[in-house]
């Protein structure tokens, strides 16, 4: 992540092996994380900017120096990892959100069943309808 104030960022930025570095804004890329083979949607939005550090020995830098073309190609590749609009919509409808902070980090295992049914919107609506029916019936009996 592009956490420039973290010690690890400062350590990578000051490394004697650093030949290049750049930051890709979170809106400019998505990513495919560890359990993509178990997920319905392979890609998800990045919750943070991403820092790229090219670390090389002097011999590696001699043969493969980092270039603007490399940076452009990497940016393009990461931009292609954006989730589709339908994937974003599916995540939002399923209540899995778009970031780890709102529940998006879990592995897709099909539609979740609400075991206790107390949090289910559909269940609450059914209960409200039943109450309305009961009140109508009791009014008819009383009158």
């Amino acid at each position: 992540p592009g956490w420039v104030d973290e010690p690890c960022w400062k350590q990578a930025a000051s490394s004697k092996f650093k030949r290049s570095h750049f930051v890709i804004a979170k809106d400019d890329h998505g990513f495919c994380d560890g359990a993509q083979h178990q997920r319905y949607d392979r890609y998800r939005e990045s919750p943070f900017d991403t820092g790229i550090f090219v670390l090389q020995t002097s011999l590696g830098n001699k043969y493969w120096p980092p270039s603007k073309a490399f940076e452009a190609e990497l940016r393009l590749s990461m931009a292609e990892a954006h989730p589709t609009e339908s994937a974003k919509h599916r995540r939002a409808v399923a209540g899995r959100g778009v970031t780890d902070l709102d529940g998006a980090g879990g592995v897709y295992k099909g539609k979740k069943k609400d075991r206790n049914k107390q949090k289910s919107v559909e269940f609450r609506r059914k209960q409200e309808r039943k109450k309305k029916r009961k009140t109508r019936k009791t009014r008819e009996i009383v009158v």
Side-chain angles (χ1 to χ4, degrees):
W3 299 335
V4 296
D5 294 331
E6 293 295 317
C8 57
W9 181 279
K10 293 174 183 174
Q11 185 177 7
S14 63
S15 171
K16 69 178 184 176
F17 297 105
K18 184 191 88 166
R19 303 297 180 226
S20 174
H21 84 276
F22 52 94
V23 176
I24 301 177
K26 72 177 188 170
D27 295 331
D28 294 341
H29 75 290
F31 71 97
C32 180
D33 59 356
Q36 76 274 7
H37 59 284
Q38 295 177 333
R39 294 179 187 272
Y40 185 76
D41 297 312
R42 181 176 181 148
Y43 303 114
R44 66 185 181 110
E45 292 177 309
S46 179
F48 304 104
D49 294 346
T50 296
I52 306 291
F53 289 88
V54 179
L55 304 176
Q56 293 178 309
T57 62
S58 54
L59 186 59
N61 191 41
K62 179 181 172 184
Y63 287 105
W64 302 285
S67 63
K68 291 293 179 186
F70 162 75
E71 181 179 336
E73 188 176 337
L74 187 58
R75 285 180 183 275
L76 180 63
S77 295
M78 291 183 75
E80 290 173 354
H82 260 292
T84 62
E85 289 302 316
S86 59
K88 290 179 196 177
H89 178 70
R90 257 192 310 279
R91 289 183 76 82
V93 168
R96 293 184 296 139
V98 294
T99 67
D100 285 331
L101 300 176
D102 57 9
V107 173
Y108 180 77
K109 294 181 181 173
K111 187 174 180 180
K112 291 185 179 181
K113 294 179 182 175
D114 191 0
R115 300 270 183 224
N116 63 6
K117 302 261 183 179
Q118 295 303 315
K119 296 176 185 174
S120 170
V121 174
E122 295 87 17
F123 179 77
R124 281 185 270 149
R125 286 181 183 156
K126 286 179 184 177
Q127 292 299 318
E128 289 172 9
R129 285 188 213 124
K130 284 181 183 179
K131 285 180 186 178
K132 286 180 182 179
R133 284 187 207 133
K134 285 180 183 179
T135 55
R136 283 186 210 150
K137 287 180 182 178
T138 54
R139 285 181 190 164
E140 291 172 4
I141 295 171
V142 172
V143 175

